[in-house]
Amino acid sequence: MRISASKVMTTATLTLLPVLGGVSAANAGSTGAEVTSCPSDGYITKGDRCTKLSNGYLSIGLGNGGSYISVDYNKTGGSAITGKLGYLRGGSTYYKASQTISTSALAWGEWSGVANPCYPTNGLLYTSGTTYQTPAAISTSC
């Protein structure tokens, strides 16, 4: 699925994949890799942050000087949810379309060509009226 928003000039995709085996948070990078653990402070690298939720891990990775954003949710337990992934940057929030996310699935949203690459950026998951977020990531180029 591709979504273009002329207002923010981004291209985005959302993909659900079965979880086949993962990498640790330390090896996750900003490539949409599965995060299977998260330090209590959420710090993986300057441009990669995560949050442990009760039924999975929410993470964000910045690439291409901060103009590429990947937000991932590795759902590890509980029932399937309907949720949408997004990011918060410069006081503005951007979301993908809602998706059903099953247990043992990795969902991710990607955005490229994003403005203000040096602004701190939080990864978001919105489900059942609640927004969860990662600590802010900052591009390693800034």
Side-chain angles (χ1 to χ4, degrees):
M1 173 174 75
R2 287 188 151 298
I3 300 172
S4 293
S6 59
K7 181 179 175 189
V8 294
M9 297 177 59
T10 62
T11 301
T13 59
L14 176 66
T15 306
L16 297 175
L17 291 178
V19 176
L20 300 175
V23 295
S24 69
N27 296 320
S30 57
T31 61
E34 172 190 349
V35 172
T36 58
S37 66
C38 182
S40 60
D41 65 359
Y43 185 90
I44 301 170
T45 70
K46 182 178 176 182
D48 301 287
R49 302 297 169 97
C50 60
T51 298
K52 183 180 184 330
L53 304 177
S54 60
N55 288 314
Y57 298 93
L58 178 64
S59 61
I60 186 170
L62 304 179
N64 198 26
S67 67
Y68 169 83
I69 300 170
S70 176
V71 177
D72 311 315
Y73 179 52
N74 175 12
K75 184 149 177 48
T76 59
S79 327
I81 63 167
T82 298
K84 53 188 178 179
L85 296 169
Y87 70 92
L88 169 66
R89 178 180 273 180
S92 296
T93 303
Y94 305 92
Y95 283 104
K96 315 301 310 135
S98 292
Q99 296 287 321
T100 300
I101 306 169
S102 303
T103 301
S104 299
L106 175 65
W108 78 83
E110 298 174 311
W111 295 260
S112 60
V114 179
N116 303 312
C118 288
Y119 283 20
T121 308
N122 302 82
L124 304 174
L125 170 65
Y126 178 81
T127 183
S128 301
T130 302
T131 302
Y132 302 93
Q133 72 177 35
T134 66
I138 300 171
S139 171
T140 56
S141 300
C142 300

